[in-house]
């Protein structure tokens, strides 16, 4: 199946700093990518939908100025958590959709804000 | 997308078949049934999907009832590495509907030696 690479897999940052997470589709072009967040023992919650070359669409309750999404190419989307706080600590997962509209997931990024 | 209902947890003995049920009574005619699983601290992994016919691949079999209101994922010979949370999702395949996947609670399958 198609491969989606997410980097980094783990990151620890200090409160108030920003962290960038990259999501790459390695062997297909992804016009649409999705960013999810998952807290311990909970299911994945969609944060935003990212379309190449246009602004992301955020789900209700997700602050667009805090979670900056850039989808500048058909193979790369980035999520930047700005001014991170301990409550932003979570497992962030990206998903990319191929031309057949099937979804493939990255390995996830464990963010810990201290 | 239609909502699904799954048992929160199940146990299965290693080497035996694991049968994971899913109810999707409000499924629409153009919605497929997808199954993903998530092993601890990893991203979800696609398993199988189907519309109305039963499907089988190297990982699992998917049995969909004739009225399409429920389905069962079958792992024929469960191993310890199959311990994971299994998500049943119904969605429209293809199209321009955004195709985001909406995850419910899933079933936490514990395969025991």
């Amino acid at each position: 199946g198609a491969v989606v690479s997410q980097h980094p897999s783990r990151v620890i940052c200090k409160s108030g700093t920003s962290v960038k997470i990259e999501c790459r589709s390695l062997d297909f072009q992804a016009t649409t990518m999705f960013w999810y967040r998952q807290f311990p023992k909970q299911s994945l919650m969609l944060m935003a939908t990212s379309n190449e070359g246009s602004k992301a669409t955020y789900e209700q309750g997700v602050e667009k100025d805090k979670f900056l999404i850039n989808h500048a190419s058909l193979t790369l989307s980035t999520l930047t958590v700005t001014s991170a706080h301990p409550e932003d600590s979570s497992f962030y997962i990206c998903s990319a959709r191929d031309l057949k509209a099937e979804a493939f997931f990255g390995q996830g990024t464990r963010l810990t804000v201290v | 997308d239609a909502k699904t209902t799954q048992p929160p947890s199940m146990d299965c003995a290693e080497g035996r078949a694991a049968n994971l049920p899913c109810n999707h009574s409000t499924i629409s005619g153009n919605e497929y049934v997808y199954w993903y699983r998530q092993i601890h601290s990893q991203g979800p992994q696609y398993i199988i999907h189907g519309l109305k016919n039963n499907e089988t691949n190297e990982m699992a079999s998917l049995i969909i009832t004739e009225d399409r209101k429920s389905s069962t994922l079958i792992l024929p010979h469960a191993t310890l590495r199959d311990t994971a949370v299994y998500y049943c999702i119904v969605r429209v395949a293809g199209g321009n509907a955004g195709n985001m996947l909406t995850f419910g609670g899933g079933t936490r399958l514990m395969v025991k030696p």
Side-chain angles (χ1 to χ4, degrees):
Chain A
V3 178
V4 175
S5 176
Q6 191 173 336
H7 179 81
S9 57
R10 290 178 178 272
V11 58
I12 300 172
C13 72
K14 291 184 178 180
S15 223
T17 62
S18 295
V19 173
K20 181 184 284 188
I21 303 170
E22 293 187 347
C23 180
R24 294 180 184 274
S25 56
L26 297 186
D27 51 0
F28 67 99
Q29 293 184 330
T31 54
T32 305
M33 290 187 176
F34 305 93
W35 287 95
Y36 293 83
R37 180 168 53 183
Q38 185 176 33
F39 291 107
K41 298 191 184 297
Q42 294 186 23
S43 190
L44 285 76
M45 296 296 294
L46 181 68
M47 298 175 66
T49 301
S50 164
N51 292 300
E52 185 266 336
S54 63
K55 290 183 179 180
T57 302
Y58 290 81
E59 295 299 300
Q60 192 171 7
V62 179
E63 299 175 58
K64 63 179 182 179
D65 294 330
K66 181 170 182 62
F67 298 99
L68 301 179
I69 292 173
N70 184 280
H71 192 160
S73 78
L74 287 172
T75 58
L76 174 65
S77 176
T78 60
L79 168 69
T80 301
V81 182
T82 63
S83 186
H85 290 284
E87 56 265 31
D88 299 323
S89 298
S90 188
F91 193 53
Y92 293 85
I93 304 167
C94 72
S95 170
R97 189 183 78 169
D98 68 5
L99 291 177
K100 295 181 182 177
E102 300 302 340
F104 302 92
F105 290 84
Q107 309 94 312
T109 296
R110 174 79 57 194
L111 170 64
T112 303
V113 185
V114 297
Chain B
D1 292 341
K3 190 174 178 179
T4 62
T5 304
Q6 298 176 254
S9 63
M10 289 181 65
D11 288 346
C12 176
E14 188 179 18
R16 305 296 295 268
N19 298 292
L20 292 93
C22 179
N23 286 324
H24 32 79
S25 58
T26 60
I27 191 170
S28 301
N30 62 346
E31 287 182 317
Y32 287 69
V33 180
Y34 279 76
W35 283 83
Y36 286 79
R37 74 179 182 183
Q38 186 179 24
I39 295 170
H40 183 63
S41 292
Q42 297 183 22
Q45 176 190 22
Y46 166 82
I47 302 174
I48 198 167
H49 76 282
L51 183 63
K52 53 184 177 181
N53 296 324
N54 297 337
E55 302 287 344
T56 295
N57 63 20
E58 64 277 6
M59 290 183 69
S61 293
L62 174 60
I63 308 298
I64 303 173
T65 58
E66 194 169 342
D67 63 7
R68 301 208 324 123
K69 293 185 177 182
S70 65
S71 61
T72 301
L73 178 75
I74 301 172
L75 306 179
H77 305 287
T79 70
L80 298 179
R81 285 181 290 184
D82 291 321
T83 292
V85 178
Y86 287 77
Y87 295 99
C88 167
I89 299 169
V90 292
R91 59 178 280 241
V92 176
N96 297 312
N99 268 293
M100 61 200 166
L101 294 175
T102 302
F103 287 82
T107 295
R108 186 173 298 275
L109 176 68
M110 179 74 73
V111 180
K112 298 185 174 180

